[in-house]
Amino acid sequence: MNYFLSEEEQMIVDTARQIAQEKIKPVREKYDEEGTFPWDIVKELADAGLCGAYIPEKYGGFGDGNIMNLVLATEELCKVDGGIALCLAATALGTLPILIGGNEEQKQKYLPKIAAGTIAAFGLTEPSAGSDATGMKTTAVLEGDHYVLNGTKCFITNAGDAEVYTVFAKTNPSRGARGISAFILEKGMEGFTFGKKENKMGIRASSTRELIFNNCKVPKENLLGKEGHGLMIAQATLDGSRPGVAAQALGIAAGALDEAIAYARTRVQFGQPISSFQAIQHMLAEMATKVEAARALLYSVARMIDDNNKKDPKDRIRTSKESAMAKLFASETAMQVTTDAVQIFGGYGYCKEYPVEKMMRDAKITTLYEGTSQIQKNEIALNLIKEHAKLAK
């Protein structure tokens, strides 16, 4: 379908596609097997300007730094490899809190570095606080000119490789959700270390580790926004970042569909290509329809977010329902499409020699992180009920 992309948007797609095909495709199997971070790809993305695709031009990025730009780049990269592409997508997750809650000094200090290729990470999840972020145990106590952080974060994408971290901690535990604050941390700060690297089923080229804070000293000027505003910053971040996960899922699904069509056209059984069998044709038709529906929803949500962000702050609305819808539909589509792709490949699809096996493994995480599919449904339903109640008044 024609989504009437602007010249700049089409350039992002073309650039990301070229990097994916020429630089990522030849090494994707290697990075998956080794589970190592793709620093050479980070350099390619930085040199091409894609690391700043979602960062405003005044801070070294592209134009208005739209979420749509991030979505387009992520989708195209993930058509080839959903794990390697996370060096860009997960950095955006760690950067959005600075874009949303940072003051001008903080933005000038960190955003140009990130646009030039510095990796960032987002520290919210804890061992006992996954879907329920308000149950976090990490604390931050102001002592003179710095905060002292204590606690642990887990399942943090880019952890250990990132230089910049946006971290959430309770500055006033007695206030519950209103006692959470957000901070910018840097790798190497006193008392800031990393736990074990997770050995994951998929997205193995993306590092996942614990963040450990043991009397970690953070300058008070690294507080994002005001004390107690952390949860609002986290929620606004997820409203903007969930389309990025949806783009990852969409890219994986689209890539699996392409592989399945190509295989079906060349795999011969009973004297003819399996693409001639109606059973296979129907599978491909359903896969393609779901992929296109996910793309249409995602692009609409990304444009809605970008339009909303251009408004005066007092006129902006929450886009949590729409972001959750995009992530839910795209991630569930990715699981279904990659599963069907493996089925079309038959026994070969279960072997690492063919890419759909990896795509199926990579797809699963999109239904889990940044809120499981069940949490997305909760978010959608709660917003629907609130909207209906408001109209009823």
Side-chain angles (χ1 to χ4, degrees):
M1 291 180 64
N2 185 353
Y3 289 97
F4 304 100
L5 301 182
S6 68
E7 185 176 336
E8 180 181 272
E9 290 168 342
Q10 189 60 53
M11 181 183 69
I12 290 172
V13 171
D14 294 341
T15 302
R17 180 180 296 143
Q18 183 177 2
I19 292 173
Q21 293 294 327
E22 296 179 4
K23 304 297 181 180
I24 297 178
K25 194 171 185 177
V27 299
R28 63 182 175 184
E29 185 177 347
K30 168 183 177 290
Y31 277 114
D32 181 61
E33 289 288 341
E34 295 178 356
T36 51
F37 194 80
W39 285 111
D40 55 338
I41 305 302
V42 172
K43 185 177 186 308
E44 294 288 345
L45 295 173
D47 289 347
L50 291 183
C51 290
Y54 58 95
I55 295 174
E57 188 175 7
K58 67 182 290 190
Y59 303 116
F62 259 51
D64 291 333
N66 295 333
I67 292 296
M68 185 64 177
N69 290 353
L70 173 66
V71 162
L72 293 171
T74 301
E75 177 192 350
E76 207 59 43
L77 296 172
C78 288
K79 287 179 182 178
V80 170
D81 193 285
I84 291 176
L86 274 174
C87 64
L88 172 68
T91 289
L93 174 61
T95 306
L96 284 176
I98 301 174
L99 283 163
I100 292 165
N103 57 39
E104 188 60 23
E105 183 178 351
Q106 291 167 336
K107 291 177 180 179
Q108 290 287 356
K109 180 177 180 180
Y110 292 104
L111 296 182
K113 295 178 184 177
I114 294 170
T118 292
I119 301 298
F122 180 80
L124 181 64
T125 301
E126 297 187 4
S128 60
S131 297
D132 178 17
T134 60
M136 69 175 64
K137 299 290 192 295
T138 299
T139 59
V141 178
L142 182 61
E143 294 184 1
D145 61 354
H146 60 266
Y147 286 88
V148 177
L149 271 64
N150 281 287
T152 303
K153 301 290 180 181
C154 66
F155 301 136
I156 307 304
T157 307
N158 285 350
D161 295 302
E163 295 291 334
V164 178
Y165 297 79
T166 47
V167 174
F168 299 82
K170 286 187 174 177
T171 46
N172 190 345
S174 65
R175 297 198 67 198
R178 295 187 178 184
I180 297 172
S181 300
F183 302 88
I184 305 172
L185 274 68
E186 297 178 26
K187 186 177 181 180
M189 280 183 169
E190 181 183 347
F192 179 19
T193 57
F194 305 99
K196 68 182 180 70
K197 182 179 180 180
E198 302 294 345
N199 187 12
K200 306 186 298 295
M201 177 173 77
I203 59 166
R204 292 176 51 77
S206 175
S207 53
T208 305
R209 293 183 176 88
E210 295 176 317
L211 308 181
I212 300 171
F213 312 110
N214 184 12
N215 292 324
C216 174
K217 293 184 176 180
V218 181
K220 65 179 183 181
E221 57 265 27
N222 282 33
L223 173 70
L224 276 170
K226 298 179 180 179
E227 279 196 12
H229 286 194
L231 188 61
M232 289 188 292
I233 292 173
Q235 290 172 331
T237 295
L238 293 173
D239 287 351
S241 67
R242 281 173 174 161
V245 179
Q248 180 193 17
L250 171 60
I252 293 170
L257 173 61
D258 288 343
E259 295 286 351
I261 295 170
Y263 182 82
R265 292 181 63 245
T266 57
R267 173 65 168 169
V268 175
Q269 290 289 277
F270 305 105
Q272 55 190 310
I274 64 172
S275 61
S276 66
F277 302 136
Q278 191 178 64
I280 300 298
Q281 291 174 356
H282 284 187
M283 289 179 72
L284 292 173
E286 290 178 4
M287 292 159 72
T289 301
K290 289 175 182 176
V291 167
E292 204 60 63
R295 182 176 289 117
L297 175 59
L298 172 58
Y299 285 11
S300 295
V301 170
R303 297 241 187 254
M304 175 188 179
I305 291 172
D306 289 338
D307 182 64
N308 189 50
N309 288 339
K310 292 173 184 175
K311 296 177 181 177
D312 188 281
K314 65 180 175 58
D315 296 325
R316 292 175 190 169
I317 59 172
R318 285 291 305 277
T319 57
S320 51
K321 180 187 70 177
E322 293 79 10
S323 293
M325 285 178 168
K327 181 186 181 298
L328 171 66
F329 190 77
S331 61
E332 294 295 329
T333 292
M335 273 309 300
Q336 184 62 60
V337 169
T338 55
T339 300
D340 286 347
V342 170
Q343 192 71 21
I344 288 171
F345 272 72
Y348 291 113
Y350 203 68
C351 299
K352 290 183 180 292
E353 182 181 351
Y354 292 86
V356 291
E357 174 270 343
K358 178 186 182 301
M359 290 171 171
M360 185 177 177
R361 286 188 285 113
D362 287 348
K364 184 58 192 172
I365 191 60
T366 66
T367 70
L368 300 174
Y369 59 13
E370 290 192 45
T372 63
S373 291
Q374 289 69 35
I375 289 296
Q376 305 309 314
K377 291 176 184 179
N378 287 352
E379 188 76 46
I380 295 164
L382 286 172
N383 275 279
L384 288 173
I385 293 165
K386 288 179 182 177
E387 288 170 7
H388 191 272
K390 187 177 180 180
L391 289 172
K393 289 182 178 179

